Amino acid sequence: MRYFTAGESHGPRLTAIIEGLPAGMPLTTEDINIELKRRQGGYGRGGRMKIESDQVEITSGVRHGLTLGSPVTLNVTNRDFKNWEQIMAAADVEDKVKQQRRLTKPRPGHADLVGGQKYEFDDLRNVLERSSARETTMRVAVGAVAKKLLHELGIEIANHVVNFGGKTVELPSELTVAQIKATAGQNDLSMIMEDETHADEIRAYIDEIKKAGDTIGGIVEVRLENVPAGLGSYVQYDRKLDAKIAAAVVSINAFKGVEFGLGFEAGKLKGSQVMDEILWTKEDGYTRRSNNLGGFEGGMTNGEQIIVRGVMKPIPTLYKPLMSVDTQTHELYKASVERSDPTALPAAGVVMENVVATVLAQEICEKFSSDSFVELKNALEHYKNRLKEY
């Protein structure tokens, strides 16, 4: 299973093509639109979300609600394109049109300057349009398909925010995917909180950040359950599944780091405080007494709950812009302001959840026979039974 995405932030549409899905897997536009709507929600979202209400169109690879085994094509139309038809036209246009919305003042922390240097652009909008977080729309669409595959196989996934701009909440020692969906999944901060007063404090803090023209980031946690042991491999560096997940998470716009289980806290503890003791029962097979390693050992899943966290930096586009250098004149200038939000952390959690789901779905399709969905389900069930008998 592999995929490609295409499209610009203010272009006519965004597109994704997925190849390698098993035939006969249930899939509808609603499965995808639910995730696209989640991506556009959360406290702190701004102008673009009021313009766009993303709806997917499936134009190949699905018939009568079931995948065909051929490439699946997904399209999302950009409603805002009507205001950018000439500026983003594929055909050549007059010079005066090319000067409209031309960008020569790169924003600190964004891809603008480095992208322009790399590709020799005199208009940094050529970078901005593809490096925009709008690109994550299609990664969520692909992830929605992956989540559908996982759900049909009994694997569930959810995300929640554990640190919102430096503000944290106390979490229970044991936390299930169902609990996350029932709590964080039902509020606009994507946080698990019993006290609504704390939630109001965080919303007020976000409002203060917006008034100041600034932005904040935070830390998102994704958990998966019912993942069988043995996905990934220790035999080569590029086959380690935790490494694949880490790479995928850091590839999300503004994400700068990843950790599993105890994560960086493990560096402060002794080995006896970190390693997860192994248990066995006839009913459950092999389990662990704890889950400090977040469901991974040796680059492979160990059958425990997968726990992965990603840190998102503040959005680099500020309404109170920092200093930059005009690439045309080389003079100091306040960086240009594009439409932005004070935070997109809850939405980023949805992106991370879907990206992680995609990596896991790819791994499952690679490991097991998957020409048809029935074949995949039977192969996975046989494998799980073999693990219990080991």
Side-chain angles (χ1 to χ4, degrees):
M1 175 185 164
R2 59 177 179 163
Y3 71 95
F4 292 94
T5 70
E8 284 72 49
S9 179
H10 296 97
R13 67 186 54 83
L14 303 167
T15 300
I17 298 177
I18 312 171
E19 183 185 37
L21 287 170
M25 186 187 86
L27 183 64
T28 67
T29 56
E30 186 59 23
D31 294 323
I32 302 169
N33 287 336
I34 289 172
E35 294 301 311
L36 293 179
K37 184 176 181 179
R38 290 180 66 217
R39 175 192 168 275
Q40 293 188 290
Y43 199 82
R45 301 312 303 273
R48 185 67 185 267
M49 299 306 105
K50 297 177 182 178
I51 297 172
E52 307 290 356
S53 181
D54 292 334
Q55 298 283 298
V56 74
E57 181 184 15
I58 301 175
T59 56
S60 75
V62 179
R63 183 169 184 252
H64 301 162
L66 298 173
T67 55
L68 298 174
S70 53
V72 173
T73 304
L74 310 175
N75 290 287
V76 171
T77 298
N78 283 332
R79 295 185 180 182
D80 202 20
F81 177 64
K82 64 179 181 291
N83 301 312
W84 293 76
E85 286 190 40
Q86 289 297 307
I87 297 170
M88 295 301 297
D92 198 8
V93 295
E94 298 178 356
D95 285 342
K96 65 178 181 179
V97 175
K98 293 179 181 179
Q99 296 305 312
Q100 297 178 27
R101 297 282 189 160
R102 185 166 180 260
L103 178 62
T104 62
K105 302 176 180 66
R107 296 160 293 171
H110 211 284
D112 301 343
L113 178 58
V114 179
Q117 290 176 305
K118 176 178 175 64
Y119 293 105
E120 299 188 72
F121 291 138
D122 59 6
D123 183 356
L124 301 183
R125 179 159 297 282
N126 292 340
V127 181
L128 176 154
E129 287 293 332
R130 180 59 180 170
S131 66
S132 165
R134 184 78 179 136
E135 180 266 345
T136 63
T137 303
M138 298 320 293
R139 284 207 268 172
V140 168
V142 173
V145 177
K147 284 183 63 176
K148 181 66 173 181
L149 182 147
L150 297 179
H151 175 74
E152 294 291 327
L153 296 176
I155 299 171
E156 299 297 336
I157 182 172
N159 87 85
H160 64 117
V161 173
V162 297
N163 184 311
F164 211 130
K167 298 184 180 297
T168 61
V169 293
E170 291 293 327
L171 297 175
S173 56
E174 298 291 332
L175 184 61
T176 67
V177 167
Q179 287 173 323
I180 295 173
K181 290 181 177 181
T183 52
Q186 301 302 313
N187 67 66
D188 58 5
L189 296 174
S190 293
M191 299 184 80
I192 297 173
M193 289 181 291
E194 295 182 1
D195 186 356
E196 186 62 25
T197 301
H198 193 185
D200 290 338
E201 291 174 358
I202 294 177
R203 293 188 189 100
Y205 178 57
I206 295 171
D207 292 341
E208 290 175 13
I209 293 296
K210 182 177 182 178
K211 289 179 182 178
D214 219 326
T215 59
I216 53 174
I219 300 173
V220 175
E221 180 178 88
V222 170
R223 297 195 179 208
L224 301 98
E225 290 176 347
N226 202 27
V227 179
L231 298 182
S233 178
Y234 61 89
V235 301
Q236 289 288 357
Y237 69 95
D238 60 347
R239 292 184 61 190
K240 295 187 176 186
L241 184 54
D242 51 0
K244 292 180 182 180
I245 290 174
V249 172
V250 175
S251 77
I252 302 169
N253 302 54
F255 274 70
K256 303 298 289 183
V258 181
E259 62 180 11
F260 296 86
L262 289 178
F264 293 109
E265 288 299 313
K268 306 173 184 178
L269 303 173
K270 299 174 183 177
S272 58
Q273 298 172 296
V274 173
M275 305 312 157
D276 302 308
E277 292 183 320
I278 300 172
L279 307 174
W280 183 87
T281 65
K282 186 175 182 179
E283 294 75 21
D284 300 324
Y286 292 96
T287 59
R288 304 299 187 278
R289 189 182 301 278
S290 57
N291 191 21
N292 295 326
L293 300 182
F296 281 97
E297 292 171 328
M300 301 169 291
T301 55
N302 63 12
E304 296 297 314
Q305 187 185 63
I306 292 178
I307 305 173
V308 53
R309 285 180 291 276
V311 57
M312 180 190 186
K313 71 180 181 182
I315 296 172
T317 301
L318 307 176
Y319 282 108
K320 185 180 180 181
L322 301 174
M323 295 304 296
S324 183
V325 175
D326 191 314
T327 57
Q328 190 172 31
T329 65
H330 291 163
E331 295 178 352
L332 286 174
Y333 202 92
K334 283 189 176 181
S336 66
V337 176
E338 293 285 327
R339 184 166 42 214
S340 184
D341 307 328
T343 185
L345 191 59
V350 175
V351 178
M352 180 177 165
E353 177 185 315
N354 279 277
V355 164
V356 172
T358 300
V359 175
L360 189 63
Q362 288 175 309
E363 194 72 23
I364 287 173
C365 288
E366 179 179 336
K367 178 171 177 57
F368 301 104
S369 298
S370 55
D371 287 336
S372 77
F373 197 62
V374 171
E375 180 182 35
L376 173 58
K377 291 173 72 174
N378 289 340
L380 178 59
E381 192 62 30
H382 175 76
Y383 176 75
K384 291 165 70 174
N385 289 334
R386 181 174 71 78
L387 292 181
K388 288 185 68 173
E389 294 170 1
Y390 180 76

